[in-house]
Amino acid sequence: MADARPGGPARLHRGPGRREAVTAVAFWYRAAAFVAAHGITSIRRYLTDNGSCHRSTTWANALAATGTTHKRTRPYTPRTNGKAERSNGTLAREWAYVRDYTSEHERRVTFAEFVNYTTTSGHTVREAPRSRQKV
């Protein structure tokens, strides 16, 4: 389970009781506050696994309180997680670690350009990945 800390990156939390609903809800409220502090005031959907904490009434009430729709992965279907892992790998290979950034502003600008590049009609399967294109 990730733990978003204000002013810092998400990190892995492996404390006791990590699958309990109360722990999950506490994380949810911290994460929602973290993204709100960075200008994201609405979270439309949240994808989770089917752990007991994510099936609880406590969890459902927390998501409802923030106006968020809960989406669950299909049980025993690794392709959902595979898509997320593929997306993370693409971000790492083609944006995050392609070059050094001199400022947070520069990193954010290049991220916006990357998202625009990958979501517009100009990005097709026939193009080489950005990491293999000649600069």
Side-chain angles (χ1 to χ4, degrees), residues 23-40:
T23 304
V25 168
F27 162 75
W28 173 248
Y29 285 127
R30 287 193 314 272
F34 178 80
V35 297
H38 290 83
I40 301 169

Side-chain angles (χ1 to χ4, degrees), residues 34-96:
F34 178 80
V35 297
H38 290 83
I40 301 169
T41 57
S42 174
I43 303 170
R44 289 183 277 175
R45 292 178 299 275
Y46 193 73
L47 179 67
T48 68
D49 61 10
N50 294 294
S52 60
C53 63
H54 298 127
R55 293 181 311 216
S56 71
T57 305
T58 306
W59 177 257
N61 292 340
L63 289 181
T66 58
T68 305
T69 302
H70 186 199
K71 299 288 189 181
R72 291 186 180 100
T73 59
R74 290 182 183 152
Y76 309 107
T77 308
R79 74 176 164 239
T80 304
N81 190 45
K83 288 178 183 179
E85 294 301 326
R86 176 68 183 242
S87 177
N88 290 342
T90 299
L91 281 170
R93 278 188 317 279
E94 298 187 25
W95 168 71

Side-chain angles (χ1 to χ4, degrees), residues 5-9 34-40 91 95-97 99-117 130:
R5 305 244 181 219
F34 178 80
V35 297
H38 290 83
I40 301 169
L91 281 170
W95 168 71
Y97 302 115
R99 55 176 266 215
D100 292 329
Y101 300 100
T102 58
S103 68
E104 179 66 14
H105 175 74
E106 181 184 14
R107 186 185 69 81
R108 288 180 186 204
V109 167
T110 59
F111 178 70
E113 291 169 354
F114 178 77
V115 169
N116 185 51
Y117 168 77
R130 202 167 182 187

